[in-house]
Amino acid sequence: ETGVTQTPRHLVMGMTNKKSLKCEQHLGHNAMYWYKQSAKKPLELMFVYSLEERVENNSVPSRFSPECPNSSHLFLHLHTLQPEDSALYLCASSQDYGRTGSEKLFFGSGTQLSVL
Amino acid sequence: AQKITQTQPGMFVQEKEAVTLDCTYDTSDPSYGLFWYKQPSSGEMIFLIYQGSYDQQNATEGRYSLNFQKARKSANLVISASQLGDSAMYFCAMREGIANAGKSTFGDGTTLTVKP
């Protein structure tokens, strides 16, 4: 199995829908992240979870709601999104959070989200 | 001011030749780390190489090396003996202070195309 798995790979939703993105890591890592990658914009950090506790929330609108039920799973619940939310959503993990500065991130393949 | 600048939106290289991807950064923190990631068309970001601000030697990982020029605040990625599979988007990222790598700032990326 690949290290970080994201489902679905593609998602099309209307502005009134509710959907969830799922991320699972098989690396035994303690930290998990959600990133947003929009066209023509740098990668944006959205949320960080360390040992299942949210440690970062970078001014993300409340229509994005993360959930981390255990150290291996991370969800991003989507509700009443806007067309500008269309982007590639990447999940990542790292061994720890805040212990060293050299820890590399392991990314999933992302969910390509289109909001109509 | 942008913290990470990648001035080359697109680069072409002939197979088996070496290529340098540019990255300049801006920080006043004496402790920082620099990362390079590769993103193929599949979407998954793959860690390539890391350089810490206090590292005395340039980092190397197989065919990847980082040309770290601290005074010029540049951290260029050198790929030797390019392969067709190297065609991808390449991102430079920086972590400032002792914060975890997940809080890195990413550049806009450079698209590398390897020609047969």
Side-chain angles (χ1 to χ4, degrees), chain A residues 9-27:
Chain A
R9 288 298 311 274
H10 302 273
L11 179 62
V12 179
M13 58 187 289
M15 289 192 284
T16 58
N17 292 157
K18 287 184 181 181
K19 296 285 184 184
S20 295
L21 310 185
K22 179 183 175 183
C23 176
E24 183 174 0
Q25 58 100 356
H26 310 276
L27 301 168

Side-chain angles (χ1 to χ4, degrees), chain A:
Chain A
E1 288 201 37
T2 57
V4 180
T5 305
Q6 287 187 245
T7 54
R9 288 298 311 274
H10 302 273
L11 179 62
V12 179
M13 58 187 289
M15 289 192 284
T16 58
N17 292 157
K18 287 184 181 181
K19 296 285 184 184
S20 295
L21 310 185
K22 179 183 175 183
C23 176
E24 183 174 0
Q25 58 100 356
H26 310 276
L27 301 168
H29 287 170
N30 294 317
M32 294 187 77
Y33 311 78
W34 279 116
Y35 280 88
K36 177 182 179 182
Q37 187 176 24
S38 307
K40 303 186 188 300
K41 288 179 74 175
L43 210 63
E44 300 172 68
L45 178 64
M46 300 175 72
F47 302 104
V48 182
Y49 276 82
S50 175
L51 298 171
E52 298 146 50
E53 285 195 24
R54 191 190 310 182
V55 294
E56 292 287 339
N57 179 349
N58 279 6
S59 303
V60 179
S62 59
R63 57 185 183 269
F64 294 92
S65 174
E67 178 191 2
C68 188
N70 55 62
S71 60
S72 298
H73 293 86
L74 185 65
F75 295 89
L76 187 63
H77 303 299
L78 314 172
H79 174 55
T80 323
L81 294 192
Q82 305 297 310
E84 60 265 27
D85 297 323
S86 298
L88 180 68
Y89 289 84
L90 290 163
C91 173
S93 70
S94 66
Q95 183 62 59
D96 293 295
Y97 179 80
R99 194 167 70 88
T100 76
S102 61
E103 289 168 3
K104 55 190 178 185
L105 296 169
F106 292 78
F107 285 85
S109 297
T111 294
Q112 186 64 53
L113 173 67
S114 297
V115 182
L116 304 179

Side-chain angles (χ1 to χ4, degrees), chain B residues 22-86:
Chain B
D22 295 341
C23 173
T24 57
Y25 58 92
D26 183 28
T27 181
S28 57
D29 197 312
S31 174
Y32 55 90
L34 297 154
F35 301 78
W36 277 92
Y37 289 87
K38 170 185 177 182
Q39 187 177 36
S41 56
S42 59
E44 180 184 353
M45 300 265 279
I46 303 164
F47 167 80
L48 296 178
I49 198 165
Y50 167 80
Q51 179 85 43
S53 59
Y54 296 117
D55 293 343
Q56 294 296 312
Q57 296 193 332
N58 287 348
T60 59
E61 291 278 357
R63 293 186 299 111
Y64 305 108
S65 60
L66 202 149
N67 184 1
F68 182 45
Q69 298 187 43
K70 198 169 181 177
R72 300 176 70 175
K73 293 189 175 179
S74 75
N76 299 339
L77 177 70
V78 180
I79 305 175
S80 62
S82 297
Q83 302 172 355
L84 296 178
D86 293 335

